[in-house]
Amino acid sequence: MGILTTSLGIGATVGGLFALRRWRENQWESCKTNKRLDGQVAVITGATSGLGKVLAEDLVNRGATVILACRNLIVAKEVVAEIKQQYLGAQLDVVELDLSSLESVRKCAAILLERYDHINILINNAGVSIPTKMGVKTAEGYEINFGVNHLGHFLLTNLLVDRLIASAPSRIVIVSSKLHEQGSIDWEVFEGTKEFEEGKRGPNAAYCSSKLANVLFGTKLAEKLQSHGVNVYTVCPGWNYTKLFRYSSVPFYSWIAIIPVAFWFMKPARIGVQTLIHCAVSEDSKNETGLFYRDCKVYQSQLKASSNPTIINKLWELSCKLCKIEW
Ligand SMILES: NC(=O)c1ccc[n+]([C@@H]2O[C@H](COP(=O)([O-])OP(=O)(O)OC[C@H]3O[C@@H](n4cnc5c(N)ncnc54)[C@H](OP(=O)(O)O)[C@@H]3O)[C@@H](O)[C@H]2O)c1
């Protein structure tokens, strides 16, 4: 009798938690658009896992040709096979891209320009969150979060921008994060002349700064492309169950606090991706540019620096200098 009561109690608790979670998932915004993308070409960086992979599936399902620009070609080909099995006639391609090497970015862009005479959608999605104390650098010696999340994408966008303009109306989506509001700009660290000092800013301070760079880049890019038919969207997908924080170590006791918070606030990638779809595809956002989005809606950043024209222009000039380009 005791065992039966206990089993029923556990069953009811687990069932209740499942129902609560299902209810919670239904509260999150989802992009309702059923727009087709037949004939369109979309490039997604970092589509081997998480949000990029789910987005690739969505765009393929709408008829787009989707190019996965990824550093791990073996996994990328597995993803292609998996999507092709699910969506008959899916048009997919893989191009090697390691955003931590500007040379790799140049090679990737050259292949894309050779293979595709039009590119309608560019999703700057790939990202890393590598704790500052690990001191990891890009091939050119820049801080890794800044190098991969901002600098590599800055160069890639520059190299593809004329093709996007020629394919207008087209869209560029920059995947940032609300965590940019905790970011700060240290020009010497970005330039690679000083080590990142974590101080009181926490282990993910460099990640937050790189996400701030994403926002500053998006604002200036939109301004530059305003009269060229290319709209620019900067996005926070929310807090998602993905591999992003794989390098962060969490003390065992912290899980006691994290698990209930995660239960309530963390989204599966299929929900987190909805704001990316809203910006990349939806008719509702087609006349907007230069804005930041969360939960399929425009979001106003709480960080004053994110709209400071002096900082925006300075980052643009520094990025051009580091990538050795004029733009
Ligand atoms: N998950 C969240 O809670 C969250 C919240 C806010 C913003 N975001 C942003 O969402 C974007 C997607 O992240 P995710 O959550 O989907 O994480 P994820 O599952 O870790 O996916 C990141 C992707 O980026 C790729 N990547 C990493 N370093 C790269 C490099 N050097 N060159 C090329 N590709 C590289 C990864 O490839 P490998 O498999 O080869 O590592 C992977 O495909 C990121 O920009 C992230 O900052 C995520």
Side-chain angles (χ1 to χ4, degrees):
M1 191 63 179
I3 292 177
L4 184 64
T5 318
T6 311
S7 307
L8 284 173
I10 292 172
T13 309
V14 171
L17 284 173
F18 266 111
L20 187 62
R21 176 68 196 182
R22 178 64 59 88
W23 176 85
R24 178 69 177 136
E25 289 188 2
N26 287 333
Q27 301 302 302
W28 279 310
E29 283 301 320
S30 90
C31 178
K32 306 281 183 311
T33 185
N34 51 13
K35 193 178 157 204
R36 298 281 312 163
L37 297 173
D38 300 286
Q40 296 210 15
V41 173
V43 177
I44 307 177
T45 67
T48 44
S49 67
L51 299 162
K53 184 180 171 193
V54 181
L55 183 63
E57 285 173 21
D58 183 275
L59 300 188
V60 154
N61 194 25
R62 293 173 192 277
T65 297
V66 177
I67 299 122
L68 316 187
C70 300
R71 65 175 166 175
N72 189 332
L73 293 184
I74 296 170
V75 178
K77 283 173 187 164
E78 283 167 11
V79 169
V80 165
E82 201 185 305
I83 298 178
K84 280 192 168 166
Q85 212 170 30
Q86 221 178 326
Y87 303 97
L88 288 181
Q91 299 290 322
L92 288 145
D93 190 5
V94 171
V95 176
E96 186 170 7
L97 169 68
D98 183 350
L99 287 155
S100 70
S101 153
L102 296 178
E103 193 190 332
S104 169
V105 174
R106 288 183 186 283
K107 280 186 188 157
C108 170
I111 294 171
L112 288 169
L113 294 175
E114 193 188 296
R115 282 190 201 164
Y116 296 96
D117 61 8
H118 65 287
I119 298 175
N120 309 85
I121 301 172
L122 171 64
I123 313 281
N124 288 343
N125 163 75
V128 286
S129 172
I130 299 184
T132 320
K133 65 170 184 253
M134 288 173 73
V136 185
K137 299 275 167 62
T138 67
E140 290 80 17
Y142 304 118
E143 194 286 321
I144 191 76
N145 296 277
F146 173 72
V148 170
N149 300 351
H150 168 66
L151 207 56
H153 281 124
F154 181 87
L155 180 60
L156 182 71
T157 309
N158 167 270
L159 297 171
L160 299 181
V161 78
D162 286 343
R163 192 58 51 90
L164 283 145
I165 292 172
S167 317
S170 43
R171 306 193 193 197
I172 299 174
V173 178
I174 300 170
V175 185
S176 177
S177 168
K178 189 179 182 307
L179 284 178
H180 78 270
E181 291 172 345
Q182 293 171 34
S184 57
I185 302 287
D186 188 328
W187 299 112
E188 289 171 296
V189 170
F190 282 180
E191 204 163 352
T193 54
K194 196 180 100 185
E195 289 300 313
F196 200 105
E197 282 160 21
E198 195 178 294
K200 289 183 185 152
R201 291 180 286 171
N204 289 324
Y207 173 76
C208 297
S209 297
S210 74
K211 293 286 131 178
L212 174 56
N214 288 156
V215 176
L216 301 168
F217 172 43
T219 306
K220 183 75 183 178
L221 185 63
E223 187 189 304
K224 289 226 171 218
L225 296 177
Q226 206 157 28
S227 55
H228 294 281
V230 185
N231 288 356
V232 181
Y233 309 81
T234 309
V235 173
C236 171
W239 189 23
N240 294 269
Y241 291 105
T242 65
K243 295 183 185 165
L244 184 67
F245 298 104
R246 70 188 98 161
Y247 303 106
S248 306
S249 56
V250 179
F252 182 70
Y253 56 82
S254 299
W255 286 107
I256 298 164
I258 288 175
I259 287 170
V261 176
F263 175 81
W264 199 244
F265 291 106
M266 271 186 105
K267 304 170 179 177
R270 71 180 156 75
I271 293 180
V273 81
Q274 296 301 314
T275 308
L276 275 73
I277 298 169
H278 174 76
C279 293
V281 180
S282 175
E283 291 286 319
D284 294 344
S285 60
K286 79 169 181 189
N287 296 321
E288 299 169 352
T289 190
L291 300 172
F292 188 92
Y293 296 78
R294 273 186 92 202
D295 296 328
C296 302
K297 286 190 284 285
V298 173
Y299 173 81
Q300 189 60 49
S301 171
Q302 301 301 301
L303 184 72
K304 281 211 179 95
S306 70
S307 55
N308 180 323
T310 310
I311 297 178
I312 291 172
N313 289 328
K314 194 167 172 184
L315 178 68
W316 188 276
E317 281 160 23
L318 177 66
S319 305
C320 286
K321 182 179 142 190
L322 301 182
C323 292
K324 299 187 173 62
I325 54 170
E326 280 182 23
W327 191 5

